[in-house]
Amino acid sequence: TLSAPWRNVSYAVSSASPAGAGSTIYVRAGTYSEYIILGKSGTNSAPITLEAYPGDTRPILTGGGSLGNILNNNSCNWTIKGFDIRDSYGGAGIYFDQNTCTGTTRIENNIIHNTDSGDNASCIIFQRVKGTYIVRNNIMYDCDRNTINAGNNTGVLIFGHINNGFPGVVNFQIQNNEIYNEGTGIKIKHPFATDQNINVDISYNKIYNIYAKAGILASGGRFTNNKIERIHHNIIYGSSASAITVGDDFDDYGVEVYNNTVFNTAAGLLI
């Protein structure tokens, strides 16, 4: 409660706390140096919301653990919004791994920056997941402390992993974000499983100052039975890399590119 709050965020989201489906966990202004592991699930009709307290300045989530500031490992139906997520010790500001959920997770209105990792330093990573993921109205930058491969410094990274995918439907809506000072802005990398249906919409993002691979890189492979990636109405500019690349580490198919605005980049569309 407001008069008797919990001491840390990691307890509030753990299986030990009484918060459950339909709960909103408000976080007051301050700096929280914790490894936040989401330990429970909401439902399709009653998600759990982790949110900055209305009217406060953004709470700062910093430090974290081996996989970033916030780890979601098979917890379903969460909304995360209103935070300043920074200086991760691990791979990402927010890391999703092996989620077999069929519900919806939302990441909205956060500022995510300065992740520190040996490889695949990213603001947000999705790996081996199914369900629906909405990434909207976030600002992401300087998630780029990878000293091994600059192209793996990424705003939003979607890993497929054909050998470890889960059957079912995977939907991504990556919309209205601002991403800058990255090796790659948004990347779909590695093939998805043959029994997954993949729907990706990347739209209305502003992406700039990209210095290695591409503003948007679609390299999701040919192995899934049903995949569509729509890249449209993005603004990409001021980059030494290409604006949009289709295919790179792997061939790709089912990619639609239309109505994007591109200027001052090394190439517009690279296939």
Side-chain angles (χ1 to χ4, degrees), residues 120 122 124-129 151-161 170-174 184-193 196 198-203 205 207 213-222 224 227-232 234 244-257:
N120 293 313
S122 302
I124 303 172
I125 291 179
F126 298 97
Q127 178 170 246
R128 299 186 293 259
V129 299
N152 286 348
N153 298 325
T154 307
V156 180
L157 174 58
I158 301 171
F159 266 127
H161 284 291
V170 188
N171 299 306
F172 289 99
Q173 299 174 29
I174 305 173
T184 304
I186 299 169
K187 180 191 293 186
I188 305 168
K189 182 178 181 180
H190 293 309
F192 290 88
Q196 286 186 312
I198 315 300
N199 301 286
V200 182
D201 185 276
I202 300 172
S203 57
N205 301 285
I207 302 171
K213 289 274 189 175
I216 300 171
L217 173 60
S219 182
R222 293 178 170 270
T224 183
K227 177 169 68 66
I228 192 82
E229 300 168 15
R230 294 184 175 92
I231 301 170
H232 62 98
N234 300 284
I244 300 169
T245 295
V246 178
D248 183 58
D249 299 319
F250 297 89
D251 293 339
D252 213 342
Y253 82 107
V255 181
E256 300 178 4
V257 180

Side-chain angles (χ1 to χ4, degrees), residues 4 20 29 53 71 73-74 105-106 124 137 141 148 153 155 164 210 237 255 262 268:
Y53 188 79
L71 172 63
N73 184 236
N74 208 28
T105 292
R106 299 173 180 269
I124 303 172
N137 296 323
Y141 63 92
I148 299 172
N153 298 325
N164 297 289
I210 304 301
Y237 65 94
V255 181
V262 174

Side-chain angles (χ1 to χ4, degrees), residues 75-208:
S75 295
C76 309
N77 295 294
W78 278 84
T79 295
I80 301 169
K81 62 180 180 179
F83 294 95
D84 181 336
I85 301 169
R86 62 170 72 173
D87 300 320
S88 163
Y89 300 152
I94 304 176
Y95 199 117
F96 290 81
D97 189 22
Q98 300 190 55
N99 278 39
T100 59
C101 306
T102 59
T104 299
T105 292
R106 299 173 180 269
I107 302 172
E108 300 177 328
N109 300 310
N110 301 286
I111 300 173
I112 309 172
H113 56 105
N114 295 100
T115 58
D116 188 355
S117 173
D119 195 10
N120 293 313
S122 302
C123 296
I124 303 172
I125 291 179
F126 298 97
Q127 178 170 246
R128 299 186 293 259
V129 299
K130 70 178 184 180
T132 296
Y133 299 88
I134 299 171
V135 180
R136 186 175 291 159
N137 296 323
N138 302 282
I139 299 173
M140 293 172 269
Y141 63 92
D142 289 338
C143 295
D144 67 346
R145 296 181 180 177
N146 172 4
T147 59
I148 299 172
N149 185 345
N152 286 348
N153 298 325
T154 307
V156 180
L157 174 58
I158 301 171
F159 266 127
H161 284 291
I162 185 172
N163 296 322
N164 297 289
F166 298 109
V169 177
V170 188
N171 299 306
F172 289 99
Q173 299 174 29
I174 305 173
Q175 302 164 334
N176 297 101
N177 301 286
E178 182 177 354
I179 302 172
Y180 61 95
N181 294 354
E182 301 291 350
T184 304
I186 299 169
K187 180 191 293 186
I188 305 168
K189 182 178 181 180
H190 293 309
F192 290 88
T194 56
D195 48 6
Q196 286 186 312
N197 294 327
I198 315 300
N199 301 286
V200 182
D201 185 276
I202 300 172
S203 57
Y204 299 97
N205 301 285
K206 182 166 71 171
I207 302 171
Y208 57 98

